Amino acid sequence: MTVRVRFAPSPTGALHIGGARTALFNWLFARKLGGKFILRIEDTDQQRSTLEANRAIFHGLEWLGLDWDEGPNVDGPLGPYYQTERLEIHQKHIDQLLKEGKAYYCFCSPEELEKKRQEAAARKEAPRYDGTCRKLAEAEIKQLAESGKRKVVRFLLPPTGDTIVSDLIRGEVVFKNELLDDFVIQKSDGFPTYNFACVIDDHTMEITHVIRGDDHLSNTPRQILLYLAFGWQPPKFAHIPMILGKDKARLSKRHGATSVIAYSDIGYLPEAVLNYIARLGWAHGDQEIFSREELIEKFSLKGVSKSSAIFDTDKLNWLNGKYIREILPERLIDLCEPLLIEAYGNHDLEYIKKVVLAFHDRLTLIPEIVPLSKFFFTDDFEYDQKALEKHFKTVNAKKIMETLKERLAKVEPFTKDKIEPVFKGLAQEMDLKLGMIIHPCRLALTGTLQSPPMYDVVEILGKKKVEERIERAIASL
RNA sequence: GGCCCCAUCGUCUAGUGGUUAGGACAUCGGCUUUUCAAGCCGACGGCCGGGGUUCGACUCCCCGUGGGGCUACCA
């Protein structure tokens, strides 16, 4: 039997980091085993589901390169792939349970239930549904229904016994049926609840492995009971650990960027994010860097850990820097160019390319190039105060700069291999350490003490700018 | 409250009864260099606590503690 897994987000917000990792593990599992990766949108919450969130989820998955074999926009034999388009299927199964006496109508209002819950809590009892409507007679049901009273459908649970979840990551987890209550499977708006729709859809879509967040483990016995009620074979389950924020609380907006797309906006590369989240809760020996192909090759549920993981931006940053250093120059240029144009207006593309390449090795996040390269695009910069004290207020600073200016004026063509000897020759003639020339020069040209290698900067800036800036420096000496 | 899951450096993790408990990020130091990064080398730093089991426990069992989850007409 071929493996079929699914990622089943609800479109109530952007694709967040946790969801992305769940999607990734499912995707890797399918790709590794030559199975199918299915995307199903669980949009049965009419209040919270939005079209925008739906698009955001696609966008996030696409950015990470997690393509689905069946799902929205990719027809498959077992669709549709929006849960709300499967309502007849759900209804049919609701009816079946009702008919078989495995489910029943409940007319208790939310207010009544809430009141009972509070009372139970006050008595320090578990807030479980008390089964009021379980014993309703046929005639009563009919009458209540005809009176237009809102109703839900509840699943009738076996009152005793154990339900065992056989989890691929956690082993066997035993739940006592008596601790569960008759949960709602169809809401008063006629929509199925999560636990029900999930089971019906997973079964009818022939899902073989349910790989999902740890937060669903406690829901699993309810779902298994449903499978059993239908006489179905449950899929295999694998509950992966959650991702937490620095404060060990579940990752949320409070922790800053949580949506995958936010990471794109901040300047992370999709391969870095992919690599990072793959390693959150999963390991393959000591290896840290994995290409997409390696991930597919090496992924296994056996490597998934049981404990939750804290999201560590520092490590993500390190990975991102590593990936940036490895990407093709053309790609880096494509990434940086719009940011530079936005910040500094239009400039010659060739010039922009040279600037970008000068910073290729020194970026952790793409947008860092904007402030770092400021001096390449504007004369409007101040000298760093401390640097000024150190490198401009030396006895022969003026002499050095004047001589440097004269010499550079004669360089032709103005390329770094012609520029370098000027600096070195000058140092030798004046019996100075090279730094004595380079430091003030860097300060004159960039206003700072940090820049790409000096000769590169001089060349890229060009003869005219270099002269102007050295003059400006001399004037301030 | 009840039930469930989890527990190795600050963080991500390797480990599967006998190891100097390994790697990575971060931090700190050194080297290199025209600066800053990068890179290389090194340092710091960990088996949550208590009981068992065993010749021997990070590893197995129990209890505690801590963290997380579920307990919705959310998913």
Side-chain angles (χ1 to χ4, degrees):
Chain A
M1 191 169 58
T2 96
V3 161
R4 291 173 61 83
V5 294
R6 71 348 183 243
F7 175 53
S10 61
T12 53
L15 177 68
H16 56 92
I17 289 293
R21 197 201 43 175
T22 301
L24 173 63
F25 283 12
N26 275 284
W27 184 85
L28 289 173
F29 189 76
R31 291 290 170 268
K32 160 119 189 178
L33 270 20
K36 299 285 187 205
F37 174 63
I38 294 139
L39 177 62
R40 181 175 73 226
I41 304 295
E42 307 216 329
D43 53 351
T44 54
D45 185 339
Q46 295 192 84
Q47 266 72 47
R48 301 196 306 145
S49 296
T50 69
L51 216 62
E52 196 196 343
N54 196 29
R55 275 197 296 268
I57 288 167
F58 295 162
H59 187 190
L61 289 172
E62 279 158 9
W63 185 68
L64 288 171
L66 303 181
D67 55 329
W68 51 98
D69 305 306
E70 292 174 29
N73 309 322
V74 187
D75 267 347
L78 299 170
Y81 298 93
Y82 281 92
Q83 216 157 40
T84 48
E85 290 173 12
R86 305 174 65 81
L87 260 26
E88 307 95 273
I89 303 174
H90 301 137
Q91 187 61 53
K92 195 182 109 201
H93 289 93
I94 295 271
D95 291 343
Q96 183 187 337
L97 288 185
L98 246 14
K99 196 172 133 212
E100 291 173 2
K102 291 171 179 167
Y104 59 90
Y105 289 111
C106 170
F107 297 90
C108 298
S109 70
E111 296 74 29
E112 288 171 300
L113 292 172
E114 181 52 32
K115 198 172 143 222
K116 280 178 185 172
R117 260 195 292 274
Q118 281 175 12
E119 283 167 5
R123 272 179 276 125
K124 298 212 183 234
E125 281 173 23
R128 306 172 53 226
Y129 179 62
D130 64 358
T132 304
C133 297
R134 194 156 34 193
K135 36 200 181 284
L136 252 31
E138 197 93 3
E140 284 177 289
I141 293 171
K142 208 174 164 200
Q143 192 203 335
L144 250 6
E146 276 165 6
S147 76
K149 192 149 193 234
R150 290 172 75 80
K151 64 180 191 298
V152 301
V153 177
R154 284 182 187 274
F155 180 51
L156 182 63
L157 278 100
T160 56
D162 292 339
T163 298
I164 297 168
V165 178
S166 193
D167 191 276
L168 261 16
I169 292 169
R170 280 145 222 284
E172 297 204 334
V173 185
V174 181
F175 294 86
K176 286 193 184 339
N177 293 160
E178 63 192 73
L179 264 14
L180 270 23
D181 62 358
D182 293 351
F183 58 94
V184 174
I185 55 180
Q186 185 173 47
K187 304 181 244 182
S188 56
D189 63 5
F191 280 45
T193 57
Y194 163 72
N195 278 312
F196 185 77
C198 178
V199 166
I200 302 305
D201 292 342
D202 282 340
H203 181 262
T204 53
M205 290 176 156
E206 296 174 14
I207 299 302
T208 56
H209 299 258
V210 172
I211 303 169
R212 70 210 330 182
D214 211 342
D215 47 339
H216 289 291
L217 183 57
S218 298
N219 276 319
T220 309
R222 286 174 242 276
Q223 297 181 10
I224 288 181
L225 255 10
L226 243 13
Y227 281 99
L228 264 27
F230 284 109
W232 297 337
Q233 174 75 35
K236 301 230 186 303
F237 293 98
H239 287 94
I240 64 180
M242 315 231 68
I243 300 175
L244 311 177
K246 268 223 171 322
D247 55 359
K248 293 193 173 185
R250 196 187 190 134
L251 207 58
S252 75
K253 305 104 238 152
R254 290 182 298 107
H255 299 97
T258 51
S259 87
V260 165
I261 288 309
Y263 284 89
S264 158
D265 295 341
I266 293 168
Y268 290 94
L269 261 23
E271 55 268 52
V273 173
L274 197 80
N275 192 150
Y276 179 68
I277 61 179
R279 279 288 285 102
L280 258 192
W282 173 79
H284 185 264
D286 282 344
Q287 190 171 345
E288 296 288 351
I289 311 284
F290 296 86
S291 67
R292 177 180 302 264
E293 293 68 33
E294 267 180 304
L295 245 18
I296 293 171
E297 183 195 329
K298 293 175 173 171
F299 183 78
S300 159
L301 289 177
K302 285 199 180 63
V304 176
S305 60
K306 297 179 183 179
S307 49
S308 45
I310 291 171
F311 191 87
D312 180 16
T313 308
D314 285 334
K315 190 156 182 182
L316 208 209
N317 288 344
W318 166 74
L319 262 175
N320 205 56
K322 254 188 138 43
Y323 275 99
I324 287 178
R325 270 167 248 133
E326 278 173 18
I327 62 176
L328 263 18
E330 296 73 42
R331 186 162 160 221
L332 185 68
I333 291 161
D334 286 345
L335 255 15
C336 295
E337 191 196 326
L339 301 179
L340 292 174
I341 289 176
E342 191 195 342
Y344 305 120
N346 272 309
H347 281 80
D348 177 54
L349 184 58
E350 285 308 308
Y351 182 68
I352 289 182
K353 281 184 183 174
K354 284 187 213 162
V355 171
V356 169
L357 294 186
F359 289 99
H360 194 156
D361 292 341
R362 28 200 7 106
L363 301 173
T364 294
L365 295 172
I366 297 294
E368 286 171 353
I369 193 164
V370 172
L372 286 176
S373 66
K374 182 178 179 189
F375 64 86
F376 273 121
F377 297 102
T378 171
D379 298 319
D380 180 28
F381 60 79
E382 301 293 316
Y383 296 126
D384 178 90
Q385 255 323 304
K386 266 164 74 182
L388 188 147
E389 296 292 329
K390 193 169 171 196
H391 297 295
F392 276 4
K393 306 229 164 139
T394 55
V395 276
N396 50 1
K398 194 159 188 168
K399 175 98 194 297
I400 293 170
M401 296 306 278
E402 279 170 347
T403 319
L404 183 64
K405 189 190 143 211
E406 274 170 37
R407 300 285 169 91
L408 286 174
K410 292 184 209 138
V411 173
E412 197 63 47
F414 203 67
T415 55
K416 69 176 172 185
D417 50 313
K418 301 281 184 208
I419 291 162
E420 180 170 348
V422 171
F423 282 81
K424 292 204 164 146
L426 190 57
Q428 206 159 43
E429 275 174 46
M430 298 182 78
D431 193 27
L432 293 168
K433 290 215 298 203
L434 193 53
M436 289 296 285
I437 299 167
I438 281 187
H439 296 312
C441 179
R442 168 173 286 114
L443 184 56
L445 300 186
T446 73
T448 74
L449 248 33
Q450 295 107 262
S451 84
M454 200 67 266
Y455 312 133
D456 292 292
V457 173
V458 173
E459 178 187 320
I460 295 169
L461 233 24
K463 191 182 268 186
K464 185 161 162 280
K465 277 283 172 216
V466 170
E467 273 180 30
E468 284 171 18
R469 289 191 185 172
I470 293 181
E471 265 167 37
R472 172 182 160 191
I474 291 171
S476 77
L477 288 174

